[in-house]
Amino acid sequence: MGGLVVKKAHIFGQNDDQYRQIVKSTRAVLFLSTPHRGTDLAELLNRILAVSFVKLSTKYYIAELKRNSGALQDINEQFRNLAPSLNLFSFYETQRTAIGPKKVMVLEKDSSILGYPNEISKALNADHHNVCKYSDPRDPNYISVRNAMKSLLPNSTVTMPCGATATLLRDKPILKNVENLLAVSEAPEDDYEYFRSRWMPGSCQWVFSRPAFTSWLNDMTASSSILWVNGLPGSGKSVLSSFVIGQLRDMGYSCQYYFFRYADHTKRTSNAMLRSLAYQITVCLPQLRDLLHSMSEEAVKLEKAEARVIWQKVFISKLCKLRVRQPLYWVIDALDECEAPDQLLSLFSSISTSLIPLRIMVVGRKTDALSTCFRRLNHSVRIDDLSTDNAQTDLRRYIEEEIKYLRGDLGMKAWVVETVCEKSNGIFLWVNLVLKEILRCHTEAEIEKALQDMPSDLEPLYQRMDGALYESLRPGDRDLSKVILTWVVYSQRTLTLEELSEALQPEISSVLDLRFTISHVCANFVVIDAKGRVGLVHQTAREYLIKTAGHSHSLTLLCGHRELFAKSISYLSRPDQGLTGERPWTFSRVLSLQTFLHYAATAWSYHLRFSAVTSDHSDILVLKQFFENRYVLDWIQLLAAWNQLETLVYASNSLNTYLREKSRADADSSPHTQRLQDKEFLELWAIDLVKIVGKFGGQLLKRPKIIQSLVPALCPTTTAIFQQLEWNKAGGRIQLNAFARSNWDDCLSRFSIGRDIRPRKIRFLGPLFAVLSSDGTLRSYDPVTHQLIREFVHGEIVLCFQFSPSNEKCVTYGFRTTKIWNVKAGQQICVVDNPENAKALDITFISEESTLMSCSDDRRIRHCVINPPDAGWKVVSGNIRNDEGNGEQLYSPTLVAFNMDGSQIALFFRSLPVYIWDGDREQMIGRCVRLTDRAKTRQDPYSEVRQICWNPTTGHVLGLYMDGPVFKWRPGETICQELRTIAFNIQCSLDGSLFVTTKKDDSLEVWNFQHFALVYRLSYHVTIIHAALSHDGSRIYDLRESHCNVWEPNALVRHAEEDWKSSDTRSSAGSSTLISSTSEVSNENLRPIRALAVGMRTWSYCLGDDAGGVRLVKAADQTSIEVAQGFFGITQAAWSDDERYLATTDDAWYLKVRTVNDFGPKTEVALCFETRIGRGPLQVLMDAQSEYLLLVTLDTLELWSLSSQTLVTTKPNATPYSRWTNNPSNGAYVIQCSFNVLRVYSWTTLDEIHYRPLGKILNQSGEEGVPEHMAWKPLSASFPLGSDENSDAVEDIAISHQGSHLLLQASSPSTQEHRKVQYLMVRLEKFLDYPNSPIEAQELPRAIATNIEKILGFVYKRPERGSYSIVRGVEKVLEESLAFLDHDDWICSWPIGDNVGAMPKIRRHFFLPQDWLNLDSLRLATTSRDGKFFCPRNGEVAIVSDWLQHEWDD
């Protein structure tokens, strides 16, 4: 009950001045068996009082703790609101408490946990009496509670210097960002405590007497070194590691460590180790913390990055360049259990250049492979060798300590010690297992016989243990033993007792005491740690059980995985499991449990990938049952809630792998027996899983429940997720029209760079990408919306450009000048004159971005200090020369490329190999000679190099020969690897894992860099100019004509989302050489839509595309009429209300008006008239009677008669930044909406009738323009601002269908990046009655205005049949709402009423998928009066209907 008192005290302290400071200082609460919930509390209290020493009356307490009592509900309700600011730990008892002759569970788990999102609940192996009593510091319960308290400290893994705690508390938000960047999910402290608890006082001290260790520890030089500690399996190496860690921490050294655990899938990769070390370093090294915080702001993802990428980006580029005198000590245990130890050791070869001393202690078995790796590594780093095989002192001490518990005289014990020491061969594990056998003996004769029969090696010992265990078990227990061992050996990660207990059901009914049962049926093969995790005694035991056939407990790899797959997938498919099952569980309840459900959801695909393919189809049927029911949606929802959507990509790969193997196995059988239809169904799901991540992943992570209805509704009609779900059969919630493409396509988006603009290059720069055009303009774009962020107008042709590593600056180098820009502000920092008679071939930033470095065609390297730039370009060294003595004379280079830090330059001289110039040593350090040229005396002309670049992470030079092949070469190596292809252009991804090549046939190919394996091929017959890969490698951006295409193929999404923690399985599954089927994309279907007009009657919409095409489309049956084809893109489209006239403008500044005659099945469209217009058409509007047309341009207002096809009048446009609309109450007038006034004009003469100034009623804050956001039109990069940027403007308007309300989106200049926006609602009922008098313009409530991204228009909710009447032939509208797109990409509505300023109620309806988020498309998105939503997408128009009737509830 003390926990209830603490909660109540915390509540009271909020408002009590005397205790408020204590409450504010409270950061966490640890509850030990606290009865939080009101279920059966009366009975519970009786039990508590019955076991208490002081006999108290129960009546008073029972009255307060009854189920649903007012006092308890009040405590829980108030504390729930305060809990988010606290770290909560709830420990619950698991043993029954003795009450007289009986044992009862005093407090159940459900009563001991709160179920809050920030709560951590853990079990204690204790009863109610002893839940807070601990025998000694090694008590597992004590360790659990102590670790919980230690986790609350800012740093629990390293010793912090004085003052570091305060610094960490201050930098806690920064540290949180770094934690997210590195995706650190579990501290290594648990592994350290596990092995440290096995350390025996006085042991391991011998290490301080070894010269190799003391030299490594006390090295006073600034160089880095590695200590390789090796020994036999089971010789106590991990315990030694934990001892060294403890000693280093006690000595005040900065120590980071990692324990590889092969049994845990998440702890055996180099990726996980490097991320863990990096996070531990950031805790104690503020310099690195700040650098990684900057990386986190660049949307960099490291969780799934390859180890070499993390090593390059975090350690080489950041950590190793810090000038810190104090060394960092790393302890890396069980290297032999790492999935790729050779790759990890190859990374360590570069620590010799580190400015901060690194002392790395690597511990592991001494295998031939590792010995070779260390010998190779010794050429670049100093390595000392230390063996643990002679640690006999510790072994003897351990035996003597354990033998104390042996009954017998001292002579007998001494003989046992000597005998065991003699036969142990220094293996602690062997000694531990043997002593357990001896301690079970009852006579000296039994002890002597046991020692005589005991084999001296581990494998024979395992065989003896195996046979003895089999003989001691009953037949039923033998089966249970094998089932448990199968789970322990093959599980993807270590399971807890609770998870394993649930995994065994229902085949094995609830075990009374699973811990005892495991120790009985698995004996010494299995151990259970302090946290209740079940694992094998050692990695050698796993090898014995898997690799040794014929013994009693031998396990088969493929069959073991198949059993675990079947169990996991069937668990997810049980009717009493999950969100749609029969259990009355809420989703939060499911998430809070996370027992075996979490393992089954995340691991079934792992086991499927390695399952045995059998001749029957049982696995196919199990998979079909899972995917054809709603279980699959529950599964996806769980993964989204756990932020583990990458599991979907892994599951897709596993499905494809399994189906390929299954097809091979069924090749000889009859097609009628192969269940081809079921296989095709699963293949469709394999595609859908990847696309769901790519197109809906961002929204799923925010709102996992959308997978149940909205996501399927927005998928193509032929996809598996769309076709087989119940919602579709029942009519669904929202309806999406069928696109011309009824399946997924690879094209995510296509947008225009600009009219008459020819782009030259595209490059990714972290969070942005940039396009350089032939006119010398560099444009930066947002990678999500493809919105133009900035334009950097150089004013002449740009020869090369570069962005700084932080992306805060960029430089453009032209013929005459060099210009440096501030990327965020768009300002020119400075301009520098270029040297005469020299042309820079590449340029980069150096010296912490304060200096520019260029390499020119005159073979000179120059520097330019940015601030101040007065000195201009200065030569820093003489001519680049050939020092290799091969007689090759260097002339002007034709190609130059700097590496990432500017320390090395790759150069190509015509008719010579590629050379590497080292800037620090000012000399050539290597040349890349083509293999076919080594026997020639003269360079072959076909060996000329077309292009060179650097791999940002591996240090390779990547290039193209003139005849097409790709080559890669690392400076200093003699091997040059060549890829036989025919490429024309090449670009490497930022993480170095992929590169893209373009070909003369306008196709492109994406390759795996490491293996030179083809990953993806795209054929698209439009001239390709350049291509690049996104920062994570999941998308391709290519330039064709004046457009940029964005592609997101499945193969690249799989590559980007592949969990690198499972890379040990990737190679065996062949995913590294995955070649997807070629994607053929039709050119005619991809013309971007630039104009859209929605009809009011028969036809649904009219669209104009970028090629000058105009089409009419009926949404009901997708009937389409091609109205026109041309050469100039359509800029405006307007349709008369009666659909008789269609008007368009184009890039050639022509106005064309056509008549549309709809005669039933036949529709005729004819050109009415066309005319040349003034510059910059802004708006086209026709009156309600279809008699007049108003053309608004930047300079003029033109009024045309549609009937006579003549120009009525032309007037100057005094306010070009305004919008025009018909007067809803009188069709004879048109309204001009300006920033401060509404003006009324006559449709017949365009004369002003009167005006109404806007009397703005602002929000209570009194601030005009509450929200500020980026203008939809990109702003200038030069100063002064353009005239439109300095002007007040009305950007958009919307008028209600009843004509009662007019909404204005008005904006005014604010900062260089933003405009201040106001949303003003004007009531129009008596608009014409009070000429020239002010009219109220009510500002929308702040909660509405700050959520609007784009106004879509007014819509009304059509009443249900029978619930409305017809009044004079018009539907009685029950509710009219403002529809808008919010900042989270959701379509929302807000009902308008009499009081516009009233408390708002925003209704969310559906979201826009990722491939709809194109700025050009969103500009045209709109709604019709009956609630249909129209949005262009990849040359088509998406129409969503019935969405207004369904409100999304979070």
Side-chain angles (χ1 to χ4, degrees):
M1 286 181 58
L4 301 180
V5 176
V6 168
K7 288 197 293 184
K8 193 65 176 179
H10 192 77
I11 295 169
F12 283 151
Q14 300 288 326
N15 302 312
D16 192 318
D17 294 336
Q18 184 177 357
Y19 301 105
R20 184 177 292 130
Q21 192 59 41
I22 296 177
V23 171
K24 286 184 178 180
S25 301
T26 303
R27 293 290 179 266
V29 180
L30 280 73
F31 295 103
L32 299 178
S33 288
T34 300
H36 296 292
R37 304 186 179 280
T39 304
D40 299 325
L41 284 179
E43 181 182 353
L44 171 65
L45 185 55
N46 281 327
R47 295 176 180 176
I48 295 175
L49 295 177
V51 299
S52 63
F53 294 102
V54 180
K55 302 302 181 180
L56 298 176
S57 172
T58 63
K59 295 180 180 180
Y60 173 76
Y61 295 98
I62 291 177
E64 293 296 328
L65 295 176
K66 284 184 178 179
R67 182 191 295 271
N68 299 323
S69 71
L72 192 59
Q73 288 184 0
D74 180 65
I75 292 174
N76 289 335
E77 189 62 33
Q78 294 182 61
F79 190 71
R80 181 183 300 276
N81 298 325
L82 304 176
S85 63
L86 297 171
N87 293 300
L88 300 177
F89 292 84
S90 293
F91 294 90
Y92 56 91
E93 60 202 62
T94 57
Q95 294 186 6
R96 299 174 183 271
T97 302
I99 302 177
K102 296 182 179 180
K103 288 188 176 183
V104 296
M105 185 64 71
V106 175
L107 198 61
E108 300 290 344
K109 175 184 175 182
D110 287 347
S111 294
S112 299
I113 61 176
L114 290 161
Y116 295 168
N118 60 327
E119 178 194 26
I120 297 176
S121 60
K122 294 187 177 183
L124 294 179
N125 186 27
D127 58 21
H128 196 75
H129 276 315
N130 298 305
V131 73
C132 58
K133 301 174 184 177
Y134 315 113
S135 57
D136 56 57
R138 292 184 294 178
D139 188 329
N141 292 338
Y142 169 80
I143 294 174
S144 295
V145 177
R146 183 203 61 187
N147 287 346
M149 291 188 286
K150 289 184 69 175
S151 69
L152 299 172
L153 295 175
N155 173 27
S156 62
T157 59
V158 297
T159 301
M160 293 182 292
C162 181
T165 302
T167 302
L168 284 174
L169 290 174
R170 184 177 64 250
D171 295 345
K172 190 173 181 180
I174 296 178
L175 198 60
K176 185 64 177 178
N177 290 338
V178 173
E179 181 180 340
N180 293 335
L181 168 71
L182 298 171
V184 179
S185 59
E186 187 175 355
E189 186 80 3
D190 292 338
D191 293 321
Y192 167 74
E193 293 292 348
Y194 175 79
F195 291 110
R196 183 65 169 172
S197 65
R198 282 153 177 73
W199 172 77
M200 186 174 59
S203 63
C204 300
Q205 297 291 342
W206 59 267
V207 73
F208 285 100
S209 64
R210 302 296 175 88
F213 181 80
T214 55
S215 174
W216 171 81
L217 178 65
N218 301 319
D219 187 359
M220 301 303 294
T221 67
S223 61
S224 299
S225 62
I226 296 177
L227 175 66
W228 182 28
V229 180
N230 52 79
L232 295 172
S235 58
K237 299 184 296 297
S238 296
V239 174
L240 176 64
S241 296
S242 68
F243 170 77
V244 172
I245 294 168
Q247 291 297 307
L248 290 171
R249 292 165 64 174
D250 292 342
M251 296 164 68
Y253 292 152
S254 179
C255 173
Q256 297 79 42
Y257 57 90
Y258 192 81
F259 290 83
F260 283 106
R261 305 290 295 272
Y262 189 84
D264 193 328
H265 183 67
T266 63
K267 295 181 180 179
R268 63 188 190 201
T269 68
S270 304
N271 167 293
M273 185 212 76
L274 292 176
R275 287 187 289 111
S276 178
L277 290 181
Y279 181 73
Q280 295 177 62
I281 297 171
T282 59
V283 172
C284 62
L285 202 60
Q287 300 97 314
L288 183 64
R289 182 161 66 244
D290 295 338
L291 292 172
L292 295 190
H293 175 61
S294 300
M295 282 184 63
S296 68
E297 296 177 339
E298 299 172 8
V300 178
K301 295 171 62 177
L302 295 181
E303 181 179 7
K304 304 174 187 69
E306 290 187 80
R308 57 190 171 87
V309 174
I310 300 175
W311 180 253
Q312 177 65 38
K313 287 185 175 293
V314 176
F315 292 86
I316 298 300
S317 300
K318 302 287 190 300
L319 176 67
C320 293
K321 293 185 178 181
L322 297 177
R323 296 187 179 275
V324 179
R325 291 185 177 181
Q326 296 298 324
L328 297 179
Y329 289 88
W330 298 352
V331 178
I332 302 172
D333 184 70
L335 179 67
D336 52 290
E337 297 187 30
C338 172
E339 62 178 21
D342 54 337
Q343 295 179 13
L344 178 60
L345 290 178
S346 68
L347 299 178
F348 289 164
S349 63
S350 56
I351 67 172
S352 58
T353 61
S354 174
L355 298 180
I356 179 172
L358 301 177
R359 308 281 190 263
I360 306 177
M361 174 175 158
V362 181
V363 184
R365 290 193 239 177
K366 190 170 186 177
T367 64
D368 292 339
L370 285 182
S371 298
T372 302
C373 291
F374 277 105
R375 283 195 298 271
R376 185 183 299 117
L377 184 60
N378 198 28
H379 292 291
S380 54
V381 184
R382 195 194 87 191
I383 297 178
D384 294 314
D385 189 302
L386 176 62
S387 175
T388 65
D389 294 345
N390 297 319
Q392 292 294 329
T393 303
D394 285 352
L395 192 66
R396 178 177 292 275
R397 180 180 288 110
Y398 173 72
I399 298 172
E400 290 174 347
E401 181 67 25
E402 293 298 318
I403 213 69
K404 291 179 182 178
Y405 303 100
L406 179 67
R407 295 179 177 86
D409 57 31
L410 295 178
M412 179 64 182
K413 292 182 179 180
W415 177 79
V416 171
V417 170
E418 294 298 330
T419 304
V420 173
C421 281
E422 182 181 346
K423 301 185 68 174
S424 67
N425 293 323
I427 302 176
F428 275 85
L429 176 62
W430 184 92
V431 171
N432 177 267
L433 296 174
V434 168
L435 290 179
K436 288 181 179 179
E437 290 284 333
I438 293 175
L439 291 174
R440 286 201 293 262
C441 297
H442 299 285
T443 65
E444 292 186 5
E446 290 179 354
I447 294 176
E448 293 177 4
K449 187 175 187 308
L451 286 177
Q452 291 173 0
D453 297 342
M454 198 71 67
S456 59
D457 293 330
L458 278 176
E459 184 169 334
L461 178 60
Y462 285 140
Q463 290 178 347
R464 173 187 169 89
M465 290 166 48
D466 180 34
L469 177 63
Y470 183 82
E471 294 297 330
S472 66
L473 296 179
R474 296 175 300 178
D477 290 342
R478 293 171 184 171
D479 295 336
L480 177 59
S481 173
K482 199 158 189 176
V483 170
I484 293 176
L485 286 174
T486 300
W487 276 107
V488 174
V489 169
Y490 294 116
S491 60
Q492 187 184 30
R493 60 169 174 80
T494 306
L495 297 177
T496 65
L497 283 169
E498 193 175 14
E499 289 173 323
L500 183 58
S501 175
E502 199 162 351
L504 297 176
Q505 300 178 24
E507 293 82 5
I508 299 174
S509 57
S510 181
V511 180
L512 297 178
D513 188 341
L514 185 58
R515 184 186 294 267
F516 171 79
T517 300
I518 291 175
S519 64
H520 174 67
V521 302
C522 298
N524 294 326
F525 280 106
V526 176
V527 294
I528 303 172
D529 67 12
K531 288 197 169 185
R533 293 177 297 194
V534 185
L536 287 173
V537 66
H538 196 263
Q539 174 63 17
T540 53
R542 180 189 307 275
E543 296 169 358
Y544 167 78
L545 292 172
I546 294 177
K547 297 179 181 179
T548 307
H551 58 80
S552 304
H553 291 91
S554 60
L555 304 174
T556 306
L557 175 68
L558 298 179
C559 294
H561 279 295
R562 186 167 184 259
E563 291 176 18
L564 269 57
F565 154 71
K567 177 63 182 180
S568 299
I569 195 85
S570 61
Y571 182 89
L572 296 175
S573 306
R574 283 162 50 183
D576 63 338
Q577 202 60 256
L579 308 181
T580 57
E582 298 173 359
R583 289 190 183 183
W585 287 357
T586 62
F587 186 67
S588 60
R589 174 66 173 152
V590 173
L591 294 181
S592 66
L593 290 178
Q594 293 193 20
T595 53
F596 185 68
L597 179 63
H598 182 274
Y599 182 86
T602 55
W604 70 261
S605 55
Y606 167 79
H607 296 300
L608 174 66
R609 175 170 289 194
F610 299 103
S611 294
V613 177
T614 59
S615 57
D616 63 15
H617 302 289
S618 57
D619 293 340
I620 294 288
L621 294 176
V622 170
L623 286 167
K624 179 187 176 185
Q625 179 188 5
F626 176 71
F627 279 102
E628 70 180 359
N629 288 286
R630 299 194 71 95
Y631 307 132
V632 63
L633 300 187
D634 293 347
W635 170 58
I636 297 174
Q637 183 176 348
L638 287 168
L639 294 177
W642 290 325
N643 195 21
Q644 291 184 273
L645 287 181
E646 65 273 7
T647 302
L648 297 181
V649 180
Y650 191 93
S652 173
N653 290 339
S654 297
L655 275 174
N656 284 325
T657 300
Y658 176 80
L659 291 173
R660 283 196 300 268
E661 295 297 325
K662 183 63 176 171
S663 296
R664 293 192 188 102
D666 294 344
D668 297 332
S669 60
S670 170
H672 300 290
T673 64
Q674 292 187 25
R675 306 196 71 88
L676 297 178
Q677 187 174 356
D678 293 341
K679 292 179 182 178
E680 292 174 359
F681 170 72
L682 295 176
E683 288 171 354
L684 287 177
W685 264 111
I687 296 173
D688 288 357
L689 293 179
V690 178
K691 291 298 183 183
I692 287 171
V693 175
K695 297 185 184 296
F696 308 108
Q699 293 289 349
L700 273 170
L701 292 176
K702 297 175 185 176
R703 296 175 178 84
K705 195 167 64 173
I706 60 175
I707 190 63
Q708 300 289 347
S709 58
L710 288 182
V711 169
L714 295 170
C715 292
T717 55
T718 59
T719 58
I721 189 173
F722 182 91
Q723 287 185 339
Q724 49 82 209
L725 297 177
E726 295 178 2
W727 71 266
N728 186 36
K729 301 171 185 176
R733 300 189 64 177
I734 63 172
Q735 297 295 323
L736 176 65
N737 69 307
F739 292 113
R741 302 184 193 88
S742 58
N743 211 327
W744 303 112
D745 60 79
D746 290 345
C747 184
L748 186 67
S749 177
R750 188 172 191 236
F751 61 95
S752 174
I753 302 299
R755 178 190 173 193
D756 299 330
I757 294 176
R758 180 168 178 81
R760 287 175 48 207
K761 292 183 179 179
I762 184 170
R763 184 179 297 170
F764 253 84
L765 350 145
L768 302 175
F769 68 94
V771 175
L772 176 67
S773 56
S774 57
D775 63 354
T777 301
L778 184 66
R779 297 170 173 85
S780 63
Y781 294 85
D782 183 278
V784 176
T785 64
H786 310 137
Q787 177 181 2
L788 178 60
I789 304 298
R790 284 292 174 205
E791 287 185 341
F792 307 100
V793 183
H794 190 98
E796 59 178 330
I797 294 177
V798 173
L799 301 177
C800 52
F801 71 95
Q802 186 58 268
F803 281 74
S804 64
S806 67
N807 295 314
E808 294 178 356
K809 303 183 186 76
C810 75
V811 57
T812 52
Y813 188 101
F815 274 110
R816 296 183 298 274
T817 60
T818 301
K819 294 184 178 181
I820 300 96
W821 309 85
N822 182 303
V823 174
K824 185 175 182 180
Q827 297 177 353
Q828 179 179 295
I829 298 175
C830 61
V831 58
V832 180
D833 291 332
N834 291 342
E836 296 182 359
N837 303 320
K839 181 177 69 174
L841 300 179
D842 198 14
I843 193 169
T844 190
F845 288 85
I846 60 172
S847 302
E848 298 181 354
E849 306 181 8
S850 64
T851 305
L852 293 173
M853 179 167 64
S854 69
C855 182
S856 305
D857 56 0
D858 60 355
R859 287 189 289 126
R860 284 184 169 87
I861 299 173
R862 293 176 172 86
H863 284 185
C864 175
V865 178
I866 295 177
N867 191 17
D870 303 339
W873 286 105
K874 297 295 182 182
V875 177
V876 295
S877 63
N879 290 350
I880 295 176
R881 60 197 178 278
N882 182 8
D883 301 319
E884 296 202 344
N886 51 27
E888 295 176 345
Q889 186 173 357
L890 306 182
Y891 295 97
S892 295
T894 58
L895 298 173
V896 170
F898 287 103
N899 68 351
M900 287 295 290
D901 59 5
S903 61
Q904 295 180 351
I905 312 172
L907 306 103
F908 173 71
F909 303 88
R910 187 161 296 164
S911 299
L912 294 176
V914 173
Y915 277 85
I916 301 298
W917 175 265
D918 188 289
D920 297 331
R921 290 182 281 180
E922 295 190 2
Q923 65 181 28
M924 293 291 185
I925 60 172
R927 56 200 288 267
C928 175
V929 180
R930 194 174 184 183
L931 292 174
T932 56
D933 295 331
R934 292 183 177 177
K936 299 182 180 180
T937 59
R938 182 174 62 87
Q939 189 83 348
D940 191 289
Y942 287 103
S943 294
E944 295 284 315
V945 177
R946 182 188 303 276
Q947 185 181 350
I948 53 176
C949 62
W950 289 83
N951 185 305
T953 59
T954 66
H956 284 83
V957 175
L958 190 65
L960 290 175
Y961 289 117
M962 278 292 184
D963 53 337
V966 176
F967 69 89
K968 67 176 178 179
W969 170 68
R970 188 199 297 269
E973 294 184 353
T974 58
I975 300 176
C976 172
Q977 188 174 348
E978 191 169 312
L979 172 66
R980 301 304 301 178
T981 184
I982 302 177
F984 191 74
N985 212 317
I986 192 168
Q987 186 96 330
C988 194
S989 63
L990 289 179
D991 65 1
S993 62
L994 300 171
F995 64 91
V996 58
T997 60
T998 63
K999 307 179 77 171
K1000 289 186 177 181
D1001 63 358
D1002 302 320
S1003 65
L1004 59 83
E1005 295 174 332
V1006 179
W1007 303 83
N1008 179 286
F1009 179 85
Q1010 182 178 1
H1011 303 287
F1012 264 8
L1014 182 64
V1015 177
Y1016 177 73
R1017 179 187 294 117
L1018 170 70
S1019 297
Y1020 178 37
H1021 301 296
V1022 176
T1023 303
I1024 187 169
I1025 301 170
H1026 202 238
L1029 292 162
S1030 63
H1031 64 278
D1032 62 352
S1034 64
R1035 297 177 185 172
I1036 311 166
Y1037 290 69
D1038 69 29
L1039 301 175
R1040 300 174 190 261
E1041 297 179 340
S1042 62
H1043 297 92
C1044 179
N1045 299 291
V1046 186
W1047 312 91
E1048 189 179 59
N1050 280 10
L1052 296 193
V1053 175
R1054 287 192 179 103
H1055 179 274
E1057 292 294 335
E1058 179 74 43
D1059 190 344
W1060 289 102
K1061 292 177 289 188
S1062 61
S1063 57
D1064 59 315
T1065 64
R1066 292 173 67 253
S1067 58
S1068 60
S1071 60
S1072 61
T1073 57
L1074 175 66
I1075 301 178
S1076 71
S1077 58
T1078 304
S1079 175
E1080 300 289 344
V1081 183
S1082 174
N1083 182 23
E1084 61 181 4
N1085 290 332
L1086 285 172
R1087 289 294 178 185
I1089 297 172
R1090 293 182 59 186
L1092 175 66
V1094 177
M1096 300 290 291
R1097 298 189 178 183
T1098 307
W1099 293 89
S1100 289
Y1101 58 91
C1102 165
L1103 59 87
D1105 62 37
D1106 191 65
V1110 180
R1111 282 185 291 156
L1112 301 180
V1113 183
K1114 281 183 178 178
D1117 55 4
Q1118 290 295 298
T1119 303
S1120 176
I1121 294 180
E1122 188 173 300
V1123 174
Q1125 281 291 342
F1127 299 99
F1128 300 99
I1130 305 300
T1131 58
Q1132 301 283 337
W1135 213 342
S1136 62
D1137 288 352
D1138 58 8
E1139 298 185 357
R1140 289 192 298 121
Y1141 291 98
L1142 178 64
T1144 59
T1145 62
D1146 58 32
D1147 283 330
W1149 294 352
Y1150 268 88
L1151 168 69
K1152 296 181 181 180
V1153 179
R1154 296 176 174 86
T1155 57
V1156 181
N1157 297 313
D1158 194 1
F1159 303 105
K1162 185 178 181 181
T1163 300
E1164 295 182 353
V1165 181
L1167 182 65
C1168 183
F1169 68 92
E1170 63 178 328
T1171 182
R1172 182 84 174 183
I1173 59 178
R1175 71 183 183 95
L1178 299 176
Q1179 187 178 0
V1180 179
L1181 181 67
M1182 286 176 273
D1183 69 326
Q1185 288 74 37
S1186 302
E1187 295 178 357
Y1188 295 96
L1189 179 144
L1190 174 64
L1191 173 66
V1192 182
T1193 71
L1194 283 171
D1195 302 320
T1196 62
L1197 303 173
E1198 297 182 11
L1199 181 65
W1200 289 81
S1201 171
L1202 294 176
S1203 58
S1204 63
Q1205 305 173 17
T1206 59
L1207 179 63
V1208 177
T1209 184
T1210 300
K1211 295 188 177 184
N1213 188 2
T1215 54
Y1217 307 111
S1218 59
R1219 301 291 293 174
W1220 296 72
T1221 184
N1222 282 310
N1223 186 347
S1225 60
N1226 191 330
Y1229 302 114
V1230 61
I1231 304 174
Q1232 182 191 34
C1233 305
S1234 301
F1235 188 79
N1236 289 314
V1237 64
L1238 302 181
R1239 299 183 184 275
V1240 181
Y1241 294 83
S1242 169
W1243 260 117
T1244 57
T1245 63
L1246 208 60
D1247 292 333
E1248 183 176 342
I1249 304 301
H1250 66 76
Y1251 66 91
R1252 298 290 302 272
L1254 295 178
K1256 298 180 182 179
I1257 303 176
L1258 305 180
N1259 290 322
Q1260 293 181 356
S1261 63
E1263 300 177 3
E1264 294 191 19
V1266 171
E1268 284 193 14
H1269 56 68
M1270 291 291 293
W1272 282 70
K1273 178 186 179 300
L1275 305 178
S1276 300
S1278 58
F1279 286 86
L1281 298 176
S1283 59
D1284 56 337
E1285 297 173 17
N1286 269 327
S1287 301
D1288 296 332
V1290 173
E1291 298 179 358
D1292 201 359
I1293 61 174
I1295 192 164
S1296 64
H1297 299 294
Q1298 293 178 307
S1300 58
H1301 293 81
L1302 171 67
L1303 178 66
L1304 307 177
Q1305 178 180 327
S1307 68
S1308 56
S1310 177
T1311 65
Q1312 170 67 5
E1313 287 190 45
H1314 295 76
R1315 290 180 68 84
K1316 189 171 292 186
V1317 180
Q1318 286 179 312
Y1319 296 97
L1320 304 171
M1321 190 76 79
V1322 180
R1323 298 184 68 90
L1324 299 178
E1325 285 90 344
K1326 299 180 180 181
F1327 177 69
L1328 299 177
D1329 295 347
Y1330 304 97
N1332 305 333
S1333 62
I1335 185 171
E1336 289 185 357
Q1338 172 71 57
E1339 189 173 16
L1340 293 187
R1342 179 186 294 268
I1344 300 295
T1346 55
N1347 275 283
I1348 295 177
E1349 177 71 23
K1350 185 187 185 307
I1351 295 173
L1352 299 173
F1354 287 92
V1355 294
Y1356 67 82
K1357 182 177 179 181
R1358 189 183 299 274
E1360 300 293 336
R1361 181 172 299 177
S1363 64
Y1364 65 94
S1365 58
I1366 303 298
V1367 181
R1368 296 181 181 179
V1370 180
E1371 292 178 354
K1372 180 181 178 182
V1373 179
L1374 294 183
E1375 182 179 83
E1376 191 163 16
S1377 301
L1378 172 66
F1380 61 91
L1381 175 71
D1382 73 359
H1383 300 307
D1384 205 19
D1385 304 322
W1386 277 74
I1387 303 301
C1388 305
S1389 67
W1390 174 54
I1392 60 172
D1394 294 333
N1395 186 4
V1396 175
M1399 200 66 180
K1401 180 185 179 183
I1402 298 177
R1403 298 174 178 174
R1404 291 189 171 204
H1405 300 280
F1406 70 98
F1407 65 93
L1408 301 187
Q1410 176 68 40
D1411 54 339
W1412 295 19
L1413 299 181
N1414 179 288
L1415 190 64
D1416 292 336
S1417 299
L1418 293 180
R1419 282 197 184 100
L1420 302 175
T1422 187
T1423 55
S1424 62
R1425 63 175 299 176
D1426 59 350
K1428 289 186 177 67
F1429 170 75
F1430 295 78
C1431 182
R1433 172 195 172 273
N1434 290 348
E1436 301 176 287
V1437 176
I1439 305 176
V1440 182
S1441 56
D1442 296 339
W1443 57 270
L1444 195 58
Q1445 282 73 29
H1446 302 284
E1447 179 180 352
W1448 179 258
D1449 183 11
D1450 286 330

